Amino acid sequence: MDETLGRALRRWRDRLSPLDVGRTARLGRRAVGLRREELAELAGLSVDYVVRLEQGRATNPSAQVVASLARALQLEPMERDHAYRLAGLLPPREGTISTHVPAGVQRVLARLGEFPVGVFSADWTLLSWTPAWAVLLGDPGARAPVERNLVRAVFTTGPKGLAAWPVLHDGDALNRALVADLRTALVDHPRDRGLIDLVAGLRSSSTEFSRLWDEGAVGRHVSARKTIVHPQVGEVTCDCDVLTVPGCDVRLVVYTVAAGSADAEKLEFLRVTNGVAADGPSPPVPGPFSTP
């Protein structure tokens, strides 16, 4: 029998343990792997759409949908490319930015749920995040995918950027680091049309970006100390570290606070309360981590 995308999705869903995505494997659970509802939540899709994909009633998923499913199902690169072909799409080419998050990285995320962690692609588009990230910075799920690019947010949408709450930085260090990092990404991914358009668009729309770009700095965005002004708990000062995975296109941005500090108490309060007050913001998307 010929392979179809629906059959492949069911097979990949059945083999994935709930523990791999931070779920509890409760006694009496009938599903061998992930339920359709869990896959839909992780991929940021409706349950009905996942059902129609598996039943073959939805036959033309977009590249963004396939990429989200591949991340949620923790597919290996060859499996991801197979999913693209089954959907009638060309897999990502060499020289272009990958949005694939390796299974090992996703398992790490599932076990780091108490820490604010965001996973970014090489062009600084937010791909996935932990619940703690959402309660500290605001739920990225409320933003359109195009608004989840950190560089675009910093240079074109004001000081808040991707965060719902103000994030205080030291001078223009972040801006310089992002421009330098983006220049390096363009060298690594010279054929990526989205990255080329991002740089061109920012050069035409942001005087500051254009000035920093013309200075020719090259480097990587690494670590910094940031203060988030949260409406419930006030200022939370965190160490922000950027971790890279060898042989992988993604970066993990991790916020941490000193154990036993006042900032740790504030972060724990937000985590326990899900960042929701009686008159506060809407709760973030539940689950071990979220994807667009």
Side-chain angles (χ1 to χ4, degrees):
M1 186 178 293
D2 292 338
E3 175 86 305
T4 65
L5 180 61
R7 294 192 188 97
L9 291 176
R10 289 195 299 273
R11 183 176 70 252
W12 289 326
R13 179 168 58 80
D14 287 343
R15 79 176 186 188
L16 193 61
S17 167
L19 297 176
D20 288 333
V21 297
R23 305 275 176 168
T24 301
R26 298 176 180 175
L27 294 176
R29 180 186 173 102
R30 295 183 179 180
V32 177
L34 290 185
R35 297 188 178 95
R36 288 192 179 108
E37 294 82 359
E38 293 168 334
L39 174 58
E41 180 185 305
L42 292 170
L45 304 171
S46 71
V47 178
D48 177 67
Y49 188 61
V50 170
V51 171
R52 288 190 288 120
L53 279 173
E54 290 194 354
Q55 293 179 347
R57 293 186 289 118
T59 56
N60 296 295
S62 68
Q64 182 182 0
V65 166
V66 175
S68 295
L69 287 167
R71 287 195 296 270
L73 290 165
Q74 301 185 6
L75 302 186
E76 297 298 330
M78 290 185 65
E79 294 172 327
R80 175 207 60 191
D81 291 351
H82 185 54
Y84 272 89
R85 294 187 182 97
L86 289 176
L89 301 168
L90 290 175
R93 298 184 304 166
E94 291 186 7
T96 61
I97 290 175
S98 173
T99 60
H100 180 67
V101 182
V105 173
Q106 296 199 49
R107 286 192 288 270
V108 169
L109 279 181
R111 288 158 176 78
L112 289 178
E114 66 181 270
F115 295 105
V117 183
V119 181
F120 289 81
S121 59
D123 65 349
W124 288 99
T125 296
L126 183 63
L127 302 175
S128 58
W129 55 89
T130 60
W133 175 284
V135 297
L136 177 64
L137 296 163
D139 179 21
R143 297 182 179 273
V146 70
E147 296 176 324
R148 295 180 190 146
N149 181 274
L150 178 60
V151 187
R152 182 182 286 113
V154 165
F155 285 98
T156 65
T157 61
K160 288 185 180 179
L162 271 178
W165 324 126
V167 180
L168 308 181
H169 308 284
D170 293 332
D172 65 350
L174 172 66
N175 295 20
R176 287 182 175 277
L178 286 175
V179 172
D181 196 79
L182 207 62
R183 181 184 295 278
T184 303
L186 193 57
V187 173
D188 294 339
H189 307 282
R191 299 170 61 186
D192 192 278
R193 189 72 250 171
L195 178 58
I196 294 170
D197 291 343
L198 174 64
V199 172
L202 288 170
R203 293 199 69 183
S204 64
S205 62
S206 171
T207 302
E208 182 186 12
F209 181 90
S210 184
R211 174 180 62 81
L212 293 173
W213 186 268
D214 288 339
E215 288 181 2
V218 176
R220 299 283 189 185
H221 174 40
V222 283
S223 303
R225 175 158 287 197
K226 299 181 181 180
T227 298
I228 296 90
V229 185
H230 197 282
Q232 284 183 252
V233 298
E235 293 187 355
V236 183
T237 299
C238 308
D239 289 315
C240 176
D241 293 287
V242 181
L243 311 178
T244 58
V245 182
C248 178
D249 243 0
V250 299
R251 299 92 181 275
L252 275 65
V253 176
V254 184
Y255 284 87
T256 58
V257 293
S261 65
D263 292 310
E265 292 178 359
K266 293 176 182 179
L267 192 57
E268 177 65 11
F269 172 81
L270 291 173
R271 189 183 68 82
V272 171
T273 63
N274 209 26
V276 181
D279 57 350
S282 300
V285 178
F289 57 89
S290 303
T291 55

